[in-house]
Amino acid sequence: MLLSTSFLLAGHFGFNTNLLETNVLNLAVVLAIVLTYVGDALRGLLANRKQSILTNFREADQRATEAQNKLREAQLELEQAQAKAQKIREQANVTIEQEKKQFIRQTQEDIKRLGTLQQETLKFEQQKAQNELAEKLVKLALQQVREKLNQRLTSSIHSAVNNFQIVLFTNSKAS
Amino acid sequence: MTNIWFDVAEVSVGQHWYWQLGGYSLHGQVLITSWIVVAVIGVICLLGTQNLQPVSGGSAATAPKGLQNLTEYITEFIRDLAKTQIGEEDYLKWVPFLGTIFLFIFVSNWSGALIPWRILELPNGELAAPTNDINTTVALALLTSIAYFYAGISKKGLGYFKRYISPAAFLLPINILEDLTKPLSLSFRLFGNILADELVVGVLVSLVPLVVPIPIMLLGLFTSAIQALVFATLAGAYIGESVEDHH
């Protein structure tokens, strides 16, 4: 190392005002260069960073609004679909009600028809039974009459019967 | 005439302004400049974080600007550095350490190259970059060693020491040697670069006082910035090496 004289004399604080010794001029130039070029580069970097942050933020914002729009559309569609479903359900209810009424009416008609059919059948059966009964009675009566006639028919009784019948006829004719 | 030459020829190494503290000799000029560097970093941090503005509404008015933008940019830079060196898994808790190392070395180096310390005369020695002194760089390198030991042991427990016998047991001496060479190389690299730069500038200034030293000073700015980056990157790489899994 080169010899130095000043630090041998030192031993106290002080200011060195020698421009060359303190290298102030060169430092000023270096500082100016650094401030100009490095400062410029740094400012550019920082501006870039700021810009990219802003762009990212705006993009994120835009995406958020898009997503919200999509959500709103989807909600709208959901509401429409729900309304449609409601309508379909109501229609189905109405149809069911109508069919129910129709069925009830038909059933009532059927019941009525069956009722009349039953009445008619009953009446018919009754008549048939009555007819059969009447026939049997007539047959029985005629049989008894024949038996009586076969057993106890004499000429006197015959004439009496005849007379009686004649009287009946005449009476019926007169009346 | 000879007086001028003696006045100009003023390059010296190993001169310190000693402070005595409990039987220890401290290099006072290094402590002073270190405190100034710490104060500068602290003031920038405080100013940059005092009025934080969240981005809202995507409007340009709310974007980070000025010192906030700068500090955020530096933080992102250090975070990316830690992520590439340590890995996705563990990098986050080492960002503060790497950031401290990087910022302290960077501001120290640049303060040595940009601030006209020689205006102020001390009783002995002269003010310069704190990293101009081997004690500072050794302290930083030992911190890095402690950091990577702590990182490895806190993650793997005693299994950390398996790395000394891998890939083969006979490499044990070399692996132990590595732990010694890491802080050695870190500290000497930084110290040598900064001291060499200041010496070259000093010698050139004593030979040709004007204009000629300027390119060398600019080169010194560049190399000192690179040295800060190299130190932080290597610290990150060592930490990453000790936390990575050998499965």
Side-chain angles (χ1 to χ4, degrees):
Chain A
M1 290 306 111
L2 302 174
L3 270 178
S4 167
T5 52
S6 74
F7 67 77
L8 293 176
L9 301 174
H12 56 86
F13 291 100
F15 287 101
N16 192 342
T17 49
N18 187 327
L19 283 181
L20 295 185
E21 252 181 48
T22 52
N23 202 16
V24 170
L25 295 174
N26 289 332
L27 275 174
V29 173
V30 167
L31 210 62
I33 292 174
V34 165
L35 283 182
T36 320
Y37 290 100
V38 179
D40 268 359
L42 198 64
R43 264 191 291 279
L45 271 178
L46 293 183
N48 262 348
R49 178 173 184 275
K50 191 169 159 181
Q51 209 50 50
S52 70
I53 286 174
L54 280 180
T55 338
N56 286 345
F57 200 89
R58 287 214 187 100
E59 273 174 17
D61 238 21
Q62 209 172 341
R63 257 174 283 164
T65 32
E66 271 174 27
Q68 260 173 352
N69 280 346
K70 269 185 197 163
L71 178 69
R72 211 172 296 137
E73 275 173 29
Q75 271 175 341
L76 217 69
E77 271 176 30
L78 176 68
E79 270 170 26
Q80 282 175 348
Q82 272 177 339
K84 220 182 215 173
Q86 188 64 29
K87 213 183 274 175
I88 288 172
R89 200 175 297 140
E90 276 168 15
Q91 274 180 349
N93 275 348
V94 167
T95 320
I96 287 169
E97 201 66 31
Q98 277 178 350
E99 290 212 348
K100 201 159 100 181
K101 273 180 194 163
Q102 209 180 337
F103 265 123
I104 288 172
R105 213 175 45 232
Q106 258 180 358
T107 318
Q108 275 174 345
E109 273 175 18
D110 280 356
I111 287 171
K112 221 186 275 171
R113 210 157 32 97
L114 282 173
T116 48
L117 196 67
Q118 192 185 26
Q119 292 288 328
E120 278 171 12
T121 317
L122 270 176
K123 223 186 269 172
F124 178 68
E125 288 287 328
Q126 218 171 6
Q127 229 161 14
K128 214 166 104 183
Q130 276 177 344
N131 282 351
E132 271 179 14
L133 198 64
E135 211 174 323
K136 258 184 193 162
L137 274 177
V138 169
K139 245 184 207 166
L140 212 62
L142 282 175
Q143 207 174 352
Q144 279 184 352
V145 167
R146 184 172 293 158
E147 270 176 20
K148 257 181 198 168
L149 285 178
N150 281 339
Q151 283 170 8
R152 293 186 283 182
L153 193 63
T154 57
S155 56
S156 56
I157 291 170
H158 196 177
S159 59
V161 170
N162 280 357
N163 286 339
F164 179 68
Q165 291 295 334
I166 289 167
V167 171
L168 275 181
F169 268 125
T170 48
N171 280 356
S172 73
K173 220 174 192 178
S175 67
Chain B
M1 281 305 287
T2 54
N3 237 356
I4 294 174
W5 288 109
F6 276 120
D7 275 350
V8 170
E10 192 193 339
V11 177
S12 58
V13 173
Q15 292 297 324
H16 300 296
W17 180 28
Y18 288 104
W19 291 353
Q20 301 297 327
L21 188 79
Y24 285 101
S25 294
L26 306 179
H27 294 178
Q29 87 278 10
V30 175
L31 288 181
I32 291 172
T33 45
S34 297
W35 292 336
I36 291 172
V37 165
V38 170
V40 166
I41 295 174
V43 165
I44 289 176
C45 286
L46 283 179
L47 287 180
T49 54
Q50 216 153 39
N51 189 18
L52 291 177
Q53 297 286 340
V55 184
S56 65
S59 63
T62 58
K65 57 185 174 239
L67 271 181
Q68 184 190 345
N69 199 0
L70 179 67
T71 48
E72 282 181 6
Y73 180 77
I74 294 170
T75 312
E76 273 177 9
F77 173 76
I78 292 164
R79 209 185 49 197
D80 287 349
L81 183 114
K83 196 192 272 181
T84 49
Q85 293 304 325
I86 301 178
E88 295 273 345
E89 206 179 321
D90 303 292
Y91 79 96
L92 211 50
K93 64 177 179 181
W94 291 104
V95 170
F97 177 73
L98 293 185
T100 309
I101 293 270
F102 174 76
L103 282 178
F104 180 73
I105 295 173
F106 180 77
V107 177
S108 293
N109 294 351
W110 272 40
S111 77
L114 287 178
I115 299 176
W117 293 116
R118 289 193 197 172
I119 287 179
L120 198 64
E121 281 181 337
L122 297 179
N124 193 17
E126 60 186 17
L127 294 170
T131 40
N132 196 0
D133 192 281
I134 186 78
N135 297 298
T136 314
T137 61
V138 166
L140 293 169
L142 285 179
L143 276 180
T144 305
S145 288
I146 294 168
Y148 78 70
F149 267 102
Y150 169 76
I153 291 173
S154 70
K155 184 169 182 198
K156 302 179 190 165
L158 288 177
Y160 169 73
F161 294 102
K162 271 185 204 150
R163 77 197 286 247
Y164 286 102
I165 51 165
S166 64
F170 72 86
L171 290 174
L172 177 69
I174 293 175
N175 282 329
I176 291 175
L177 208 62
E178 214 175 31
D179 274 334
L180 300 174
T181 55
K182 274 174 184 170
L184 206 70
S185 65
L186 273 181
S187 57
F188 274 72
R189 181 186 306 113
L190 184 56
F191 166 68
N193 269 287
I194 304 308
L195 183 73
D197 176 55
E198 298 207 347
L199 280 183
V200 167
V201 171
V203 168
L204 266 185
V205 166
S206 70
L207 293 177
V208 192
L210 286 178
V211 183
V212 174
I214 290 175
I216 303 296
M217 289 164 81
L218 290 173
L219 185 71
L221 276 180
F222 177 70
T223 53
S224 56
I226 294 293
Q227 285 312 312
L229 185 64
V230 164
F231 197 108
T233 307
L234 280 176
Y238 294 156
I239 292 168
E241 208 172 63
S242 66
V243 296
E244 80 179 335
D245 294 311
H246 295 284
H247 291 310

